[in-house]
Amino acid sequence: MPTRTTHPRLTSALAVVCCTVTAWVTTACGGVVARSPVLQDLVSERTVPGAAELSQDAHGTVRFATAGVADVRTGRRIGLTDRFRAGSITKTVVATVTLQLVAEHRLNLDDPVAEHLPAPNATALTGAERGRTVTVRQLLTHTSGLFSYTDDDAFFRRFFGQGFTEHRYESHTPDALLGTALAHAPYGPPGTRYRYSNTDYLLLGMVIRQVTGHSYAVEATRRIIVPLRLTGTSFPGTRATLPLPHGRAYSAATGDAPGAKGLTDVTDLNPSAAGAAGEMVSTLPDLNRFFAALLSGTLLPPAELRAMRDTSLSGGSYGMGVFPVRLPCRRTVWGHNGEITGSYVQTLGTADGRHVVSFRTNSDTRLSSRAQTKLLATEFCSTDG
């Protein structure tokens, strides 16, 4: 979120994280201190003011590190529990709720999506054969072929590009966003190829409401946030401000009134343009806890967890709300990234969920793939085998 060029079990220690933080220093709760220069590679004075990383390895060692600043005006560091916009990691939560409904036999992965939509949306989706045969499985795996509403040039310019400053507080309904998507021809017939589309998860949000009678936010709160005690995670809807505590969010590409050091402060925005595809707010500890629970099988039965990790329909690129990352040491980790105006985050973990890392920056500037690979290789390839 946005799509334009999209990529591709914690112990109780997290509840009582005892880390102290200085710039580029990682302090483990056991007292072992090690330098973390790889995090600094993500920071750039003109485009990426700050970065942070939180990891827990298979031995239960928790490490938190920061580089740069959370606020370019005050010099404040990024805090462990700072709230930030998690973008498309929202999709992992929506996929988890959807697969829980499958496990409860309230949905079937091969159901036509139109069977689980309000009548007006079903009619719009199936009109002129568009989307008539799109299934729940295809939405989850981004193989529906449906045009991503964020790929609409005018929409992208207004809400993620140069028009952001003027339009940042405008509200959007799911129906309107779907209308934007369906004004375009699909990328291809359903089920024929992988193409990441925010429209897929916009529709899954509608499916969850139709099947349960509640919004995806209510169901995710009841099924995931409350049971896992994710105290820093929320779905803001149309609320433009972030809950406290939080740092600032920056962009070098949006708006026409640059702030300090050529950056625009984009902290406040109406996230309804992202909706079920990317509106969630979270923290690093919450994301680690969620992915550890998910990957370890706490949130899904074995069959649904296997389905989530099945990348056969996407040619190995994407499962259902998660994707694999293959590291230079030939290990594969699983997770998702999130990108939204002013924020980038990625959470990845081993298949058993025992070793998890989340890292983030307070900018939407695209990070060097080399720097990200170096960070992940340092985290996963030098420990736990």
Side-chain angles (χ1 to χ4, degrees), residues 19-62:
C19 304
T20 59
V21 183
T22 56
W24 318 313
V25 174
T26 303
T27 304
C29 290
V32 178
V33 181
R35 291 283 171 181
S36 180
V38 293
L39 195 62
Q40 177 62 21
D41 291 345
L42 303 182
V43 174
S44 164
E45 184 178 4
R46 294 191 60 81
T47 57
V48 183
E53 174 189 4
L54 179 67
S55 68
Q56 178 168 323
D57 65 24
H59 308 292
T61 302
V62 178

Side-chain angles (χ1 to χ4, degrees), residues 300-316:
L300 291 174
E304 282 66 39
L305 187 56
R306 284 194 300 272
M308 176 175 263
R309 291 191 181 123
D310 183 356
T311 63
S312 59
L313 295 179
S314 66

